[in-house]
Amino acid sequence: MSVNTASPPGTTVAVPPTGDLPERGRRRRKRRWAAWLFLLPWLVGLFGITLGPMIASLYLSFTDYNLLGRLSFVGFDNYVRMFTDDPRFVSACLVTLKYVLISVPLQLAFALALATLLNRGLRGLAFYRSVYYLPSLLGSSVAIALLWRQIFGGSGLVNTALGALGLTDLPNWIATPEWALGTLIVLNVWTFGSPMIIFLAGLRQVPQELYDAASVDGANAWGRFRRITMPMLTPVIFFNLVLQMINAFQAFTQSYIISGGSGGPVDSTLFYTLYLYQKAFTDFDMGYASAMAWFLLVVIGLFTGAAFFTSRYWVHYDGE
Amino acid sequence: MLNPLNPNPPLSRRSFLGTAAAGALLTTAGCAGFGGGGSGSESDGDASLTVTWWGDASRTELYDAALALFEADHEGVTTRSEFADLGPYLERMATAAAAGNLADVLWMRDTHVGRYGAGGSLLDLSEYLDDVIDVSAIGDAGIASGTVGDGVFALPTHYVGQALITAEDVLGAAGVSGGDIATWDDLAAAAREAADPSAGVFGINDPTLDDTHRHLEAWIRQAGGELFTPEGTLAADPAAIEEWFVFWKTLRDEGVLPPADSQSEANGAGWSGDFLVLGTSAMRLSSTNHFTIVSGLTEAPLGLFSTPALADATDDWWFFPPILISAAANTDSPEVAAALIDFFINDAAAADVTRLNQGAPSSSEIRDGLTPDLEGAETAFIEQISREMEQPARPFPIRPEGSEQFNGALTRIGEEIAYGGATVSEAVARLVSDAAGYLTAE
Amino acid sequence: MTSTATQPAAVHAPALRPQRRPWRRIVLHGIVLLGGIAMVYPLLWMVASAFKPESDIFSDPGLLPATFTTENFTQGWDALGIPFSTFFLNSFVIAAISVLGNLLSCSLAAYAFARLDFRFKKTLFAAMLATLMLPFHVTLVPQYILFQSIDWTNTYFPLVVPKFLAVDAFFIFLMVQFMRGLPRTLDDAATVDGCGPFGVFWRIILPLMRPALAVAAIFTFIWTWNDFLGPLLYISDRELYTAPIALNAFLDSTGASSWGPMFAMSILSILPLFLVFLFAQKHLINGIATTGLK
């Protein structure tokens, strides 16, 4: 990505910074004090609501806890068991990793493409935007499970369509271990509405002047997209990348409703969090589930950290 | 250019404050949801009970009506009912139990009573038996089904048996009748006769992909074994489990069973997508009470028969999974809770309302009292299960902690075998060795 | 309100005229429309199913019901003995209050992270992100115990109070990213003109953040409206049920579910979301591209 557009023409619109330095220093100090006021609600929430349960779960990860009273400290046993004595844990890791690596880029590409398309001067834009967002309204409705069966089942819509093209020997997509995860990836891509909306909002923040100036310079549509839109959008792209990655690592609902909570067939859709859920609420092994949760936190943290590390090379903040 | 001190910023403050005001208004609009906490305070003699069960709105309508009868009989007692579908119900129950905040009276799964009973979440009903709760009509077997260790932590309100449901027209076309099926070999033969893969008709649904495995338990008891030991470890002979899976694998390989993917898709579609309902399968193994559900979904003639037996089956293998009711250890009104449990087990007026919604009433008196009013599929169900309950039945050990996990593992190895991912002996060997890890004697 | 992005450009730059070639527009419309159909087909199937008799839902896959009935709606509306309007109203109240809470608390925190200096900034920012990374299933029970200990079960407090305390880090991070993209020169200018941090936040940043605030409002509303687990755990009184809890009442995984009424009420439940989206997206597109920096 080109970084040399860091100061596109037209951004230095406001009054150039003036004022003497001592004045600014006083403001800095005042701001520092003000920062805590701005953070106050969040800090109350963090210490009052969020942090306690998090620390509790960290403690539980070192215990054998069955939810109903039995609780004994077991050190690192849960963590050791995960890697040495649990093939389902390993398979859940692999399923989740595959899901993250395929569905996140696909979903983001779709979302970005559609957002760019729908940001253009197309008549009936509001209508299209709503239509593309519709699937994301469904949330975790059980209706999705039935829908997906109608589409990807043995005699579902997809196979009917492919059959009409003369193809035979079609798999039962939703109930074949090799394909079931694929249908969940499609489901995730299908609900690309959320990142799309965020992209759209990002596109609306790109100052019109930049385009005007570029047009005067004779840039074509692709040139404008590459030189103005993309760099200006990088903070939002970064946000979507990080958040969709976190979401994908924690994917739960899709498999929970479509496989009925089992992660089947043959654990082919057993997401990490679904297995964690089974451990916690079916097997009553909350200690183990907590250990899984904290391991996942570390993994997501590493991925997110990596994203932040690379961001300095490709994410451009106009305000900084 | 933007003037930073523009008196009319683009996001009008009015609209922002307007939203705020609207929100505040909604808050004060007398929303009950912002009242005080829901703890049931009680003054002498008065009690307020929370009662909860799994199921849908139609079940709730019946049970709310029954609760109204209880309130009418007990001055000063008020009840509040909660319900959810089974999955969410179990999750909520686990969370509430961890917080010591279980509903006063709650319906309990037979698969969970061992864990919740041993975990100290449930009220020991022993001291209320006979005095408050009349157990004469449910018998010792009824008490045993909720006994964990030394305490009675649940009692059965209903029983569901397991049975064979047949599509008599599909079977008849092949010259067989469900009434002729006494043994598993008979079942296999009939399924082979009825199956017509070219027409998309299967001999019988594949039970190994179901999420409960009570017919396997029947198979094991017929062979003289048990699934679990009284101490809570695995008792089943691995060879018997293997034979069960080999029996079904053979039929599957012959095309008598639906292919794994079709069966698994159908299982996810609920009863409306069941092969028996759709007329593409001749038989299915089911809970006995499912007969009323299937009958409501198809016009085709159906038959209800006992679970087939091994040729050399023990004669006292019969067992009836109970639908249990418990009281919470954290209840403020144990006496009233016990009275309510008695009410759901023994009250004829309540049974007149709730009827067979959860299965066959556990009390023989209630069952006999209801029978004349029943018709059609309900009569068939109650007669079938009553007949079987006359059979000798040796007690069976309560399902221990870890039985839910074992149940899930059974489904999973069923899938692995059906999809061809593992051989029967591999899969069963893994099942048994894994089970040693979580089915541990206390 | 359409074509705000390209039209001024076209006016300023005759060189761009070729873009007006009609066939391009037609192709573009075609692609978008085709995609749109693929997006909504499953929903159309749902709508169709809602108007079919229960027995036809799975046997008649067509989009036009062979037998048309509105019985699912009438039956579903009163299935819980309380009209569904109560549940919709409850969901609406919770969602509306949550929107307010999230907009206020998250934008405040985001401003601090994006624009102000303070000690432990990096640590706190990392902590904020970390709260997003822990699967909620393991904090569910401790959190339940927490809210139960202050007697908040069977009230809406556990559902809405956290929203005023910026517990949803998603929105903080979202707003931080948008704020960091805003030119800092504007803040500086305002500061020179005598604005304190709060003045900058209120007069400069918030107005320019309208698209991001619209996104946060839309998402908060939809996610809160669809939330199942929270109300399931905390709400017991039937009069306080939210729409998703009420929808669950049509399901019986141990018996036969009532799919017809479930579809009918699901569609009614999506309708308000759709309306909210339509309303809010107006603010989404009126970003600074059309107002602020001109």
Side-chain angles (χ1 to χ4, degrees):
Chain A
M1 209 127 318
S2 68
V3 192
N4 54 8
T5 44
S7 291
T11 36
T12 47
V13 286
V15 194
T18 52
D20 50 12
L21 282 174
E23 170 90 354
R24 299 198 91 191
R26 250 202 320 282
R27 285 217 185 93
R28 274 272 150 79
R29 274 197 298 283
K30 196 174 154 205
R31 276 186 173 194
R32 225 164 256 169
W33 177 78
W36 295 104
L37 268 186
F38 279 95
L39 284 174
L40 189 64
W42 175 71
L43 285 171
V44 172
L46 182 71
F47 288 103
I49 296 177
T50 318
L51 215 52
M54 277 180 83
I55 291 169
S57 75
L58 180 61
Y59 170 70
L60 290 177
S61 77
F62 298 105
T63 67
D64 174 17
Y65 175 49
N66 75 347
L67 277 179
L68 306 180
R70 188 182 66 213
L71 193 154
S72 54
F73 193 79
V74 297
F76 282 91
D77 273 13
N78 290 323
Y79 292 91
V80 173
R81 188 147 59 98
M82 265 165 18
F83 295 103
T84 55
D85 195 23
D86 191 354
R88 292 191 82 204
F89 170 81
V90 177
S91 108
C93 285
L94 293 177
V95 166
T96 307
L97 205 60
K98 205 191 291 180
Y99 179 78
V100 171
L101 292 179
I102 300 175
S103 87
V104 172
L106 265 182
Q107 196 199 29
L108 287 184
F110 261 90
L112 182 57
L114 260 298
T116 322
L117 210 58
L118 294 181
N119 191 41
R120 297 164 59 100
L122 212 55
R123 212 172 288 278
L125 262 181
F127 172 74
Y128 285 129
R129 266 198 297 269
S130 313
V131 162
Y132 280 88
Y133 195 69
L134 259 177
S136 308
L137 294 178
L138 275 173
S140 54
S141 166
V142 196
I144 291 180
L146 296 166
L147 280 176
W148 238 237
R149 243 168 226 110
Q150 294 290 316
I151 297 172
F152 289 106
S155 47
L157 214 60
V158 167
N159 280 0
T160 312
L162 293 177
L165 296 175
L167 295 169
T168 52
D169 267 343
L170 296 161
N172 184 330
W173 307 93
I174 204 156
T176 309
E178 293 78 26
W179 291 107
L181 183 62
T183 67
L184 294 190
I185 291 174
V186 174
L187 175 60
N188 192 42
V189 175
W190 186 56
T191 51
F192 64 76
S194 299
M196 179 188 79
I197 292 298
I198 297 173
F199 278 135
L200 267 172
L203 287 170
R204 303 315 296 187
Q205 276 204 344
V206 180
Q208 185 59 44
E209 285 86 345
L210 299 189
Y211 290 113
D212 294 349
S215 299
V216 174
D217 293 345
N220 61 13
W222 172 246
R224 274 175 295 155
F225 178 75
R226 207 176 56 81
R227 280 183 34 219
I228 301 170
T229 312
M230 279 301 271
M232 292 298 284
L233 212 53
T234 48
V236 176
I237 295 177
F238 178 66
F239 172 82
N240 271 336
L241 176 71
V242 170
L243 260 299
Q244 293 308 321
M245 203 171 65
I246 294 178
N247 277 346
F249 269 115
Q250 296 186 3
F252 171 78
T253 316
Q254 296 92 329
S255 174
Y256 180 76
I257 54 178
I258 288 183
S259 75
S262 74
V266 204
D267 286 350
S268 59
T269 62
L270 184 72
F271 287 139
Y272 192 94
T273 333
L274 183 59
Y275 183 48
L276 183 157
Y277 170 86
Q278 289 183 2
K279 275 287 161 200
F281 290 100
T282 311
D283 301 349
F284 290 80
D285 200 348
M286 190 49 107
Y288 190 76
S290 302
M292 282 185 67
W294 279 87
F295 175 68
L296 184 66
L297 180 133
V298 170
V299 171
I300 297 179
L302 287 177
F303 272 79
T304 309
F308 268 91
F309 180 77
T310 63
S311 74
R312 66 184 73 172
Y313 301 110
W314 63 275
V315 179
H316 154 67
Y317 296 105
D318 199 43
E320 284 152 29
Chain B
M1 294 295 131
L2 178 94
N3 174 0
L5 299 178
N6 182 348
N8 275 320
L11 173 86
S12 100
R13 236 164 299 162
R14 240 175 309 148
S15 78
F16 200 75
L17 293 176
T19 322
L25 215 119
L26 284 170
T27 325
T28 52
C31 292
F34 295 97
S39 63
S41 59
E42 57 185 284
S43 56
D44 31 80
D46 289 0
S48 96
L49 291 188
T50 310
V51 187
T52 178
W53 50 80
W54 66 86
D56 61 0
S58 59
R59 169 169 298 165
T60 297
E61 202 179 336
L62 304 180
Y63 277 81
D64 278 352
L67 281 177
L69 295 177
F70 182 78
E71 285 181 352
D73 285 352
H74 295 75
E75 187 108 2
V77 173
T78 53
T79 62
R80 180 176 72 196
S81 68
E82 296 175 24
F83 70 101
D85 192 27
L86 185 62
Y89 178 83
L90 291 177
E91 185 173 353
R92 184 166 66 190
M93 186 161 86
T95 309
N101 191 31
L102 278 178
D104 299 280
V105 173
L106 61 154
W107 260 265
M108 177 59 64
R109 298 292 284 181
D110 61 330
T111 44
H112 286 68
V113 67
R115 183 179 292 279
Y116 279 88
S121 303
L122 302 178
L123 183 70
D124 184 357
L125 300 171
S126 314
E127 58 173 301
Y128 303 99
L129 298 188
D130 300 325
D131 229 15
V132 183
I133 307 173
D134 178 3
V135 286
S136 57
I138 59 172
D140 290 343
I143 298 172
S145 64
T147 304
V148 184
D150 297 331
V152 178
F153 293 101
L155 289 168
T157 62
H158 297 83
Y159 287 114
V160 293
Q162 42 286 317
L164 171 69
I165 304 179
T166 59
E168 284 297 302
D169 51 345
V170 182
L171 271 188
V176 196
S177 162
D180 301 334
I181 299 172
T183 67
W184 291 104
D185 288 337
D186 294 343
L187 182 82
R192 287 191 177 99
E193 286 297 323
D196 184 358
S198 61
V201 175
F202 307 113
I204 183 167
N205 286 7
D206 186 345
T208 63
L209 298 177
D210 274 353
D211 48 17
T212 56
H213 304 277
R214 285 167 181 157
H215 291 84
L216 164 63
E217 192 167 4
W219 174 287
I220 287 167
R221 275 171 69 88
Q222 289 167 1
E226 295 294 344
L227 213 42
F228 306 110
T229 64
E231 292 74 40
T233 57
L234 185 65
D237 178 8
I241 304 179
E242 266 192 51
E243 281 161 22
W244 166 261
F245 282 104
V246 167
F247 177 86
W248 294 105
K249 183 174 168 20
T250 311
L251 289 174
R252 190 182 306 113
D253 291 347
E254 291 172 26
V256 174
L257 293 190
D261 54 357
S262 309
Q263 183 68 60
S264 144
E265 185 192 348
N267 287 353
W271 284 103
S272 341
D274 190 86
F275 292 126
L276 198 72
V277 170
L278 298 174
T280 54
S281 171
M283 300 179 276
R284 71 165 286 147
L285 296 171
S286 249
S287 284
T288 318
N289 61 323
H290 290 163
F291 187 68
T292 53
I293 298 175
V294 181
S295 300
L297 291 173
T298 174
E299 309 273 296
L302 299 172
L304 179 64
F305 305 98
S306 289
T307 304
L310 292 168
D312 53 354
T314 56
D315 59 359
D316 59 356
W317 67 269
W318 302 88
F319 69 105
F320 303 90
I323 304 291
L324 299 165
I325 191 168
S326 298
N330 58 268
T331 181
D332 293 330
S333 323
E335 194 92 11
V336 187
L340 184 57
I341 289 176
D342 175 68
F343 173 80
F344 278 120
I345 294 174
N346 292 312
D347 193 277
D352 259 345
V353 178
T354 59
R355 298 173 73 93
L356 306 185
N357 186 273
Q358 294 214 68
S362 56
S363 150
S364 50
E365 280 170 34
I366 295 289
R367 223 163 39 235
D368 295 344
L370 268 184
T371 308
D373 293 343
L374 303 174
E375 44 192 43
E378 290 185 326
T379 312
F381 159 54
I382 209 94
E383 284 179 351
Q384 174 70 23
I385 202 164
S386 298
R387 203 162 43 235
E388 291 182 353
M389 288 178 98
E390 314 267 298
Q391 303 289 328
R394 65 177 187 269
F396 74 101
I398 201 139
R399 287 151 214 278
E401 282 186 40
S403 63
E404 321 91 334
Q405 199 168 345
F406 184 72
N407 191 57
L410 274 174
T411 307
R412 217 159 39 245
I413 70 159
E415 283 183 351
E416 283 176 22
I417 296 167
Y419 280 99
T423 67
V424 173
S425 53
E426 274 168 21
V428 172
R430 187 144 31 83
L431 174 83
V432 171
S433 74
D434 285 355
Y438 53 81
L439 288 170
T440 49
E442 283 302 299
Chain C
M1 93 183 162
T2 54
S3 66
T4 43
T6 47
Q7 263 174 8
V11 170
H12 288 303
L16 283 183
R17 272 286 136 86
Q19 218 211 353
R20 302 220 131 194
R21 279 172 302 196
W23 62 267
R24 274 190 71 159
R25 287 203 157 235
I26 292 166
V27 170
L28 218 56
H29 265 288
I31 293 173
V32 176
L33 193 67
L34 223 72
I37 292 170
M39 295 301 285
V40 291
Y41 176 86
L43 288 151
L44 294 180
W45 177 81
M46 233 174 103
V47 174
S49 300
F51 289 101
K52 289 174 188 170
E54 184 91 33
S55 55
D56 283 8
I57 291 179
F58 295 99
S59 54
D60 164 26
L63 278 192
L64 283 175
T67 320
F68 183 90
T69 173
T70 53
E71 201 189 317
N72 290 328
F73 288 88
T74 49
Q75 205 191 320
W77 188 262
D78 286 314
L80 277 81
I82 299 170
F84 240 78
S85 49
T86 307
F87 310 129
F88 287 142
L89 186 69
N90 290 341
S91 283
F92 185 83
V93 168
I94 295 176
I97 296 174
S98 299
V99 168
L100 183 73
N102 263 352
L103 287 187
L104 277 175
S105 63
C106 294
S107 62
L108 286 172
Y111 179 69
F113 280 121
R115 282 293 206 255
L116 303 177
D117 293 320
F118 52 93
R119 287 182 72 186
F120 310 120
K121 182 169 169 174
K122 286 204 162 142
T123 315
L124 285 174
F125 191 75
M128 190 260 295
L129 285 181
T131 62
L132 278 173
M133 298 175 192
L134 195 71
F136 65 91
H137 295 110
V138 293
T139 52
L140 212 57
V141 170
Q143 205 156 61
Y144 182 90
I145 293 172
L146 176 77
F147 286 132
Q148 192 214 344
S149 70
I150 49 175
D151 221 3
W152 275 8
T153 49
N154 202 24
T155 71
Y156 289 155
F157 291 123
L159 306 179
V160 299
V161 170
K163 302 291 195 308
F164 285 88
L165 302 174
V167 159
D168 214 338
F170 176 94
F171 295 109
I172 304 182
F173 188 30
L174 174 80
M175 292 181 190
V176 166
Q177 288 305 96
F178 273 84
M179 286 182 193
R180 290 181 73 182
L182 294 174
R184 213 176 254 264
T185 43
L186 299 174
D187 307 26
D188 291 340
T191 310
V192 167
D193 286 347
C195 269
F198 191 78
V200 174
F201 169 72
W202 190 248
R203 288 162 180 264
I204 311 291
I205 301 290
L206 269 193
L208 293 178
M209 284 271 296
R210 182 138 78 166
L213 294 177
V215 170
I218 292 173
F219 286 4
T220 304
F221 194 93
I222 291 169
W223 292 349
T224 318
W225 182 281
N226 282 335
D227 181 25
F228 177 71
L229 208 53
L232 173 79
L233 291 180
Y234 292 112
I235 302 303
S236 345
D237 274 351
R238 211 154 306 156
E239 290 77 19
L240 302 181
Y241 275 13
T242 60
I245 302 296
L247 285 174
N248 180 262
F250 296 115
L251 303 182
D252 183 0
S253 49
T254 59
S257 300
S258 318
W259 295 118
M262 202 275 289
F263 278 127
M265 292 304 114
S266 293
I267 284 161
L268 293 186
S269 170
I270 292 175
L271 221 57
L273 296 183
F274 191 61
L275 293 179
V276 163
F277 178 77
L278 276 184
F279 168 77
Q281 74 151 358
K282 197 176 73 191
H283 295 275
L284 184 72
I285 58 167
N286 290 344
I288 58 167
T290 52
T291 49
L293 287 172
K294 282 259 176 79

